[in-house]
Amino acid sequence: MTDSLHAPVILDIAGPALNADDRRRLAHPLTGGMILFARHFESRAQLTALCAEAKAIRPDLLIAVDQEGGRVQRFRTDGFTALPAMRTLGELWMDDAMRAVQAATATGLVLALELRACGVDFAFTPVLDLDHQDEQRQSLSAVIGSRSFHRDPRVVSLLAQSLMQGLALAGMGSCGKHFPGHGGVATDSHVGVPVDTRSLKAILAEDVRPFEWLSLSLSAVMPAHVIYRKVDGRPAGFSRRWLQDILRDRLGFAGAVFSDDLSMAGARVIEGREVGYTEAALAALDAGCDLVLLCNQSLEEGGRAIDELLDGLTRAQAHGQWTPATDGEARRAALVPQSAPLTWDELMLAPRYLEALARLP
């Protein structure tokens, strides 16, 4: 277990094997997780060894990855199944709803079983954003696009629930993103600060519906780096109104809340002022996030930004600017699977896995 009351930082590492700086940062009491990207994968054997070494440093470390399917799938070679984009499942729904439900469950099961066989605990999925479209019937948000199941929140919710069932069958939690909905803005929050000008009533009536309907089932939620101007001047991930008043109080969500990547452009400006990583993390934690992600910084200046964040949070805690939350730590720990995974060799003979492969679209 961690020796901190709360280990909120999810960080990345430099490459496919741990170096001395990676090991030092993973051992830091404020580090609660590690996020992996395509550059961390060379083979299944290498990935399995990497996860095992990280767990040897921190047995309760949460090892996570963006493994949605379609264009967002970090591991896709050396035996990993090419998973369908969520839009494919939505299109299948229009032809055969029950087959689409079955395919969504199969997708979640294959995704989770393969990851867990290599030591990965958690995938940031499902995407619950609606596929809003322009007059030419093109996705309004290019960064979401085919990652969305559908335009209809009912279809999104039912297919996401089925995918989550597949994850759960393999002992993996789920993360609905990007609350309260990223699909209604064209700007990509990786490179800019999107602003959604719709009213709270309009957002609650459509985009929030999947988060509302799935609030009892989701293990975690990730808010969007989007400003919903008529609701709050801060991006949702830094907004107590969105995370406390609406997500927790109104929707009754009791799971973990992750910030989206704090290195994204949409997270670097709060109320018109550019902020550093520590200030952004403190703002997210104060708003109601349990965990904060800082991604793709281990290669920049020797990982200076990661050390800045860990040191900054340590100072903030010492000076009373941030109080660790034991309930936030409990929510983090609950995301770490408790059941033993199948090995890859066992997986290749598992009837449920083989049947799930046959039911993928």
Side-chain angles (χ1 to χ4, degrees):
M1 297 296 291
T2 65
D3 54 7
S4 171
L5 291 174
H6 188 188
V9 177
I10 311 294
L11 51 79
D12 72 328
I13 56 174
L18 298 180
N19 62 33
D21 285 330
D22 296 326
R23 295 186 189 95
R24 171 177 56 81
R25 292 169 185 141
L26 290 176
H28 195 286
L30 295 183
T31 299
M34 176 175 75
I35 182 169
L36 300 174
F37 293 91
R39 72 174 188 274
H40 299 121
F41 181 83
E42 293 178 341
S43 68
R44 286 187 289 104
Q46 165 269 326
L47 176 62
T48 304
L50 171 63
C51 293
E53 184 178 0
K55 290 280 190 176
I57 297 170
R58 285 288 279 278
D60 72 333
L61 189 76
L62 180 70
I63 302 178
V65 66
D66 284 312
Q67 189 89 338
E68 301 169 9
R71 61 187 168 90
V72 181
Q73 181 174 343
R74 308 305 186 196
F75 312 144
R76 55 176 69 240
T77 59
D78 195 20
F80 274 95
T81 302
L83 299 168
M86 297 304 98
R87 175 181 286 171
T88 301
L89 297 172
E91 290 170 346
L92 181 58
W93 171 277
M94 303 307 294
D95 294 328
D96 187 337
M98 296 314 297
R99 182 163 173 256
V101 165
Q102 190 177 64
T105 302
T107 299
L109 183 60
V110 170
L111 183 162
L113 285 172
E114 291 181 351
L115 288 179
R116 292 208 59 208
C118 294
V120 180
D121 301 314
F122 191 75
F124 291 108
T125 186
V127 171
L128 299 182
D129 302 305
L130 305 187
D131 186 18
H132 290 276
Q133 298 181 348
D134 59 22
E135 294 178 355
Q136 287 73 46
R137 299 184 65 81
Q138 299 297 312
S139 295
L140 184 60
S141 173
V143 74
I144 301 301
S146 63
R147 298 166 68 192
S148 171
F149 288 101
H150 205 272
R151 172 64 179 81
D152 189 328
R154 297 168 298 181
V155 177
V156 170
S157 300
L158 290 169
L159 290 178
Q161 179 75 72
S162 298
L163 187 139
M164 290 157 56
Q165 181 184 25
L167 297 175
L169 287 171
M172 182 177 286
S174 55
C175 181
K177 59 188 188 183
H178 305 83
F179 178 79
H182 200 310
V185 290
T187 302
D188 181 352
S189 54
H190 291 83
V191 297
V193 184
V195 177
D196 191 320
T197 59
R198 291 176 296 161
S199 68
L200 175 60
K201 181 179 180 180
I203 298 168
L204 290 174
E206 288 201 303
D207 297 65
V208 168
R209 288 298 197 187
F211 296 94
E212 177 185 359
W213 292 329
L214 299 176
S215 63
L216 291 175
S217 306
L218 286 164
S219 308
V221 162
M222 177 181 288
H225 289 323
V226 176
I227 297 173
Y228 304 85
R229 182 177 290 160
K230 293 182 179 178
V231 182
D232 196 335
R234 292 184 165 214
F238 303 121
S239 165
R240 292 185 66 84
R241 186 169 188 204
W242 278 115
L243 300 186
Q244 300 286 352
D245 298 347
I246 298 174
L247 181 62
R248 293 288 192 204
D249 297 341
R250 184 166 185 157
L251 304 187
F253 178 67
V257 178
F258 288 88
S259 80
D260 206 344
D261 178 13
L262 295 180
S263 70
M264 292 165 58
R268 304 308 307 282
V269 177
I270 299 178
E271 296 180 340
R273 183 173 59 83
E274 187 171 342
V275 297
Y277 296 118
T278 299
E279 186 174 353
L282 289 171
L285 292 166
D286 180 68
C289 288
D290 301 300
L291 300 154
V292 291
L293 278 83
L294 185 58
C295 305
N296 295 313
Q297 296 303 304
S298 56
L299 298 177
E300 303 291 330
E301 301 179 33
R304 177 193 59 80
I306 301 175
D307 291 330
E308 173 190 317
L309 175 58
L310 292 171
D311 293 344
L313 283 180
T314 300
R315 287 194 299 271
Q317 181 179 352
H319 296 155
Q321 298 170 316
W322 169 61
T323 302
T326 54
D327 53 350
E329 179 60 16
R331 288 190 283 263
R332 183 202 70 83
L335 300 176
V336 180
Q338 300 303 305
S339 61
L342 296 176
T343 66
W344 196 272
D345 287 344
E346 291 170 337
L347 190 58
M348 294 303 101
L349 300 174
R352 179 175 274 174
Y353 171 74
L354 297 174
E355 183 62 27
L357 285 176
R359 299 189 186 208
L360 292 176

Coordinates of all heavy atoms in Angstrom, one line a residue, residues 5 16 192 243 248 256 328 356:
L5 N -1.7 9.3 2.8 CA -3.1 9.3 2.9 C -3.8 9.4 1.6 O -5.0 8.9 1.4 CB -3.6 10.5 3.8 CG -3.2 10.4 5.2 CD1 -3.6 11.7 5.9 CD2 -3.8 9.3 5.9
P16 N 10.1 2.0 -22.9 CA 9.6 0.6 -22.7 C 10.2 -0.1 -21.5 O 9.7 -1.2 -21.1 CB 9.9 -0.1 -24.0 CG 11.0 0.6 -24.5 CD 10.9 2.1 -24.1
G192 N -6.1 23.6 -27.8 CA -6.8 24.9 -27.5 C -7.7 24.8 -26.3 O -7.8 23.7 -25.7
L243 N -18.3 19.3 -10.9 CA -17.9 18.1 -10.2 C -18.6 17.8 -8.9 O -18.9 16.7 -8.6 CB -16.3 18.1 -10.0 CG -15.5 18.2 -11.3 CD1 -14.0 18.0 -10.9 CD2 -15.9 17.2 -12.3
R248 N -21.5 15.0 -8.5 CA -21.7 14.3 -7.2 C -23.1 14.4 -6.6 O -23.8 13.4 -6.3 CB -20.7 14.8 -6.2 CG -19.2 14.5 -6.5 CD -18.9 13.1 -6.2 NE -17.4 12.8 -6.3 CZ -16.9 11.7 -6.6 NH1 -17.6 10.6 -6.9 NH2 -15.5 11.6 -6.6
A256 N -14.6 7.3 -8.7 CA -13.4 8.1 -8.8 C -13.5 9.2 -9.9 O -14.2 8.9 -10.9 CB -12.1 7.3 -9.0
G328 N -10.7 9.9 -1.4 CA -10.2 9.9 -2.7 C -9.2 8.8 -2.9 O -9.2 8.1 -4.0
A356 N -16.0 -14.4 -27.4 CA -16.1 -13.0 -27.5 C -15.3 -12.5 -28.8 O -15.8 -11.6 -29.5 CB -15.4 -12.3 -26.3

